[in-house]
């Protein structure tokens, strides 16, 4: 079957990343026809690459060649542009956060249902290797049953971009990086949430959060800590996973880390006490070498399709999207709940 | 003036640690007369060292030579033995936790006030080098004003000892390691607590907690995370400190770690985006080298006396104890509050 014809709306950082890094490796399935950006300089970049450009969003929607519109513009424009595209008979792929709240999201879904066109959100970090390792720990249980997952990203460069500092555009780190980490966590654990506590950070003095720490308890008993910080000059590990027979730590995106598992021995040796500050401790001493083994972290692999390959099959073959709208909605609902706690 | 005559009640791990590591370096101020332990084998060890031993606690209290009784027995016995010793005209040094709740603590203080004898709690970890580094960061502000302090101890050897698995003896990790970390935090920050949230861990299936994560907000705006775990086969850093101009991390009791401070540059260079999983990020990229500098962690030093030197001066010269009973009570009150949240 023919490749699906795409247009990119918003040819900034993310829009051009889609073109260069995501669509380009799926040439047989994804055909990028053109680009629309409000900045003339970005349009020129697109033309230099041989892509069509448009004078207006309306002109895009009128282009019969276009089957799918990729929306990669500031968050507060996602809803109106998605609805306009769906009504114009296009499918829509939209960057995260799909919308700023569930109400807006439901409006889009209603139009998608009316028109019979697809609305698909791009949650790219379901393909991150570090996440895939944690997913393997959770599903294959090499260190037993996972009961606590801590997911952190720490940066020291503040909130990125311009509009991300402003509330009306859907700025702040919960809607930027937070939504990635929460999407990963909720997709992984796949259980209703029993309780959530959140503490937002406003160190930078912006009107939006520059980070947060959240504590989630799932109904299946699993506990999660999800944290984003943009004023952290040194980092805490990206992932920390506790399971019934061991613990894993992934330090960074380079996948460095450590994984240790308890082993059952007939005559278990108690650890030797260590000097800890001005005291001794056996409790906090490393376990004796007979009692544990160090394992390699599992290989990161997704048993599912790449995002754009999946989009192709959703459009052409009506397969189920990997990023389901019910899942996207659950994450938006959690985010709403977190913002409500703040008030 | 003459050294103060001490007796140790409970010559187990902690009691003998006091003798070997704390009293022995203060020979001119602390004179250990004898030991009382319910286990005959421990009494023999004491006699072999030339120490007096006793047939009963009553016999200890009747010994006119003894000025101070060190109580290093299971937690649930602290109250009755402390009160008996105070009434017998002895000063008391007591291991932490002084008591299992503030009510018991107030009972002891009432007897101390009546009798005019001293009751002093041993919170040894106010002298831990890692804590002293954090104290320097807080007070001297080499990375600016500290606004977030995370204090964690992670072990994989479970709850230690026998009686520490039982509620009636004051077992569990909040009363074991937790009380150390909370004492450090409350003494350091020295502000009333506005809010505390706690999540206890019962992974080992004991009737007492095998660890906990707590989130404390102080009225002065500082936030703290205090965490103890005994089922952690790999560790998170011992300390993580965020301040207005930088961040510090102390990995372990060996004082390894990292400290980075922002520097003001006239033409600040934005960091280069890094590949993070399947995406790019500038936000979570390391800050550009012009914008930060790596500092050595400060030297750990206490400007205050050692514990036993201070005890000597409290007894002989009526100086103020370093570990004040109002502070001990605040920690016990916080612990009560944390246990109440669980119910």
């Amino acid at each position: 079957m023919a490749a699906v014809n795409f247009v990119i709306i918003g040819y900034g950082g993310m829009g051009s990343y889609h073109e260069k890094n995501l669509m380009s490796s799926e040439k047989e399935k994804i055909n990028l026809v053109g680009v629309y950006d409000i900045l003339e300089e970005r349009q020129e970049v697109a033309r230099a690459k041989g892509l069509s450009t448009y004078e207006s969003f309306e002109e895009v929607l009128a282009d019969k060649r276009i089957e799918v519109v990729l929306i990669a513009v500031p968050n507060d424009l996602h809803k109106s542009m998605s609805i306009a595209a769906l009504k114009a008979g296009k499918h829509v792929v939209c960057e995260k956060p799909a919308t700023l709240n569930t109400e807006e999201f439901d409006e889009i879904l209603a139009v998608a249902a009316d028109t019979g066109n697809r609305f698909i959100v791009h949650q790219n970090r379901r393909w991150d290797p570090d996440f895939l390792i944690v997913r393997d720990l959770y599903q294959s249980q090499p260190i037993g049953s996972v009961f606590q997952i801590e997911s952190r990203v720490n940066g020291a460069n503040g909130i990125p971009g311009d509009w991300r500092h402003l509330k009306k555009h859907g700025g702040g780190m919960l809607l930027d990086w937070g939504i990635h980490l929460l999407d990963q966590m909720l997709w992984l654990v796949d259980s209703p949430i029993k309780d959530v506590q959140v503490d937002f950070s406003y160190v930078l003095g912006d009107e939006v959060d520059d980070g947060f720490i959240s504590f989630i308890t799932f109904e299946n008993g699993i506990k999660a800590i999800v944290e984003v910080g943009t004023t952290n000059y040194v980092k805490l590990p990206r992932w920390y996973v506790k399971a019934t027979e061991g613990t894993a730590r992934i330090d960074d995106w380079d996948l460095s880390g450590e994984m240790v598992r308890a082993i059952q021995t007939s005559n278990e040796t108690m650890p030797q006490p260590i000097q800890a500050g001005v005291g001794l401790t056996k409790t906090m001493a490393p376990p004796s070498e007979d009692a544990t083994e160090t394992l390699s972290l599992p290989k990161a692999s997704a048993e599912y399709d790449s995002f754009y390959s999946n989009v192709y099959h959703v459009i052409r073959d009506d397969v189920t999207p990997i990023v389901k709208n019910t899942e996207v909605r659950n994450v938006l609902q959690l985010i709403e709940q977190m913002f409500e706690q703040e008030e």
Side-chain angles (χ1 to χ4, degrees), chain A:
Chain A
M1 269 184 284
V4 174
N5 284 339
F6 260 78
V7 66
I8 295 176
I9 310 298
Y11 195 52
M14 270 321 292
S16 59
Y17 188 80
H18 275 257
E19 177 232 326
K20 263 187 287 191
N21 299 73
L22 303 176
M23 293 172 166
S24 61
S25 53
E26 304 287 349
K27 288 268 188 222
E28 292 186 4
K29 292 174 177 157
I30 305 292
N31 175 44
L32 180 61
V33 175
V35 155
Y36 172 60
D37 196 287
I38 54 170
L39 294 177
E40 180 49 31
E41 65 201 61
R42 298 303 304 160
Q43 302 259 89
E44 273 168 33
V45 173
R47 278 193 291 271
K49 293 195 171 195
L51 297 167
S52 298
T53 57
Y54 300 84
E55 287 308 299
S56 67
F57 184 51
E58 290 65 36
E59 198 187 342
V60 173
L61 300 186
D63 186 342
K64 297 269 186 260
R65 294 174 300 170
I66 303 300
E67 297 175 81
V68 189
V69 174
L70 169 69
I71 309 276
V73 297
N75 300 341
D76 56 326
L77 298 172
H78 289 182
K79 188 190 87 167
S80 58
M81 296 185 92
S82 294
I83 287 177
L86 290 166
K87 285 187 173 167
K90 316 295 188 194
H91 303 289
V92 171
V93 169
C94 188
E95 258 303 320
K96 43 58 57 180
T99 57
L100 305 186
N101 52 56
T102 51
E103 195 185 327
E104 288 185 8
F105 188 66
D106 291 343
E107 287 182 56
I108 296 177
L109 293 195
V111 176
D114 279 357
T115 59
N117 295 316
R118 291 285 194 166
F119 179 75
I120 304 167
V121 178
H122 181 232
Q123 281 291 356
N124 59 321
R125 295 195 176 279
R126 294 193 184 183
W127 286 265
D128 276 7
D130 55 292
F131 170 67
L132 293 172
I133 290 174
V134 173
R135 195 166 179 267
D136 186 271
L137 295 180
Y138 190 84
Q139 294 179 339
S140 311
Q141 310 201 347
I143 50 172
S145 177
V146 168
F147 61 84
Q148 187 167 315
I149 310 169
E150 306 185 15
S151 170
R152 293 178 176 84
V153 291
N154 289 164
N157 302 311
I159 300 171
D162 318 310
W163 58 266
R164 284 198 179 79
H165 292 258
L166 300 169
K167 204 162 197 162
K168 66 173 178 175
H169 292 305
M173 292 310 295
L174 175 55
L175 281 169
D176 186 26
W177 263 95
I179 199 166
H180 283 305
L181 305 194
L182 293 172
D183 177 71
Q184 288 178 337
M185 194 64 79
L186 266 58
W187 191 47
L188 180 67
V189 176
D190 193 22
S191 162
I193 289 171
K194 194 175 156 192
D195 185 58
V196 60
Q197 299 289 330
V198 64
D199 184 48
F200 288 99
S201 157
Y202 292 93
V203 180
L204 300 176
D206 274 278
E207 63 179 41
V208 293
D209 72 286
D210 52 47
F212 66 92
I213 304 181
S214 64
F215 313 96
I216 301 169
T217 309
F218 290 93
E219 281 183 10
N220 65 5
I222 291 175
K223 292 169 182 181
I225 296 182
V226 175
E227 175 177 352
V228 172
T230 55
T231 59
N232 304 53
Y233 291 84
V234 304
K235 295 181 174 206
L236 284 174
R238 172 72 186 85
W239 293 95
Y240 186 72
V241 180
K242 290 183 74 175
T244 45
E245 292 156 30
T247 312
R249 196 188 66 227
I250 305 176
D251 291 325
D252 214 335
W253 285 291
D254 65 5
L255 311 185
S256 59
E258 206 185 348
M259 183 158 100
V260 174
R261 179 168 67 181
I263 45 179
Q264 300 304 326
T265 52
S266 46
N267 51 347
E268 208 164 311
T269 326
M270 275 304 286
Q272 290 303 305
I274 56 161
Q275 187 74 32
V278 297
L280 286 183
T281 183
K282 202 152 68 178
T283 317
M284 301 303 162
S288 77
E289 282 184 18
D290 317 6
T292 56
E293 59 183 339
T294 299
L295 306 178
S296 299
L297 289 164
K299 294 274 170 253
S301 64
E303 80 284 4
Y304 41 92
D305 229 354
S306 76
F307 178 75
Y308 273 111
S309 176
N310 175 244
V311 167
Y312 170 86
H313 290 297
V314 171
I315 305 293
R316 290 279 180 267
D317 310 321
D318 204 30
V319 306
T320 310
I322 290 168
V323 182
K324 295 181 186 59
N325 285 327
T326 48
E327 296 160 354
V328 173
R329 195 179 191 285
N330 286 342
V331 174
L332 286 173
Q333 196 166 40
L334 174 60
I335 286 175
E336 272 179 343
Q337 215 178 324
M338 289 164 76
F339 279 135
E340 275 163 23
Q341 267 193 31
E342 199 188 12
E343 282 159 13

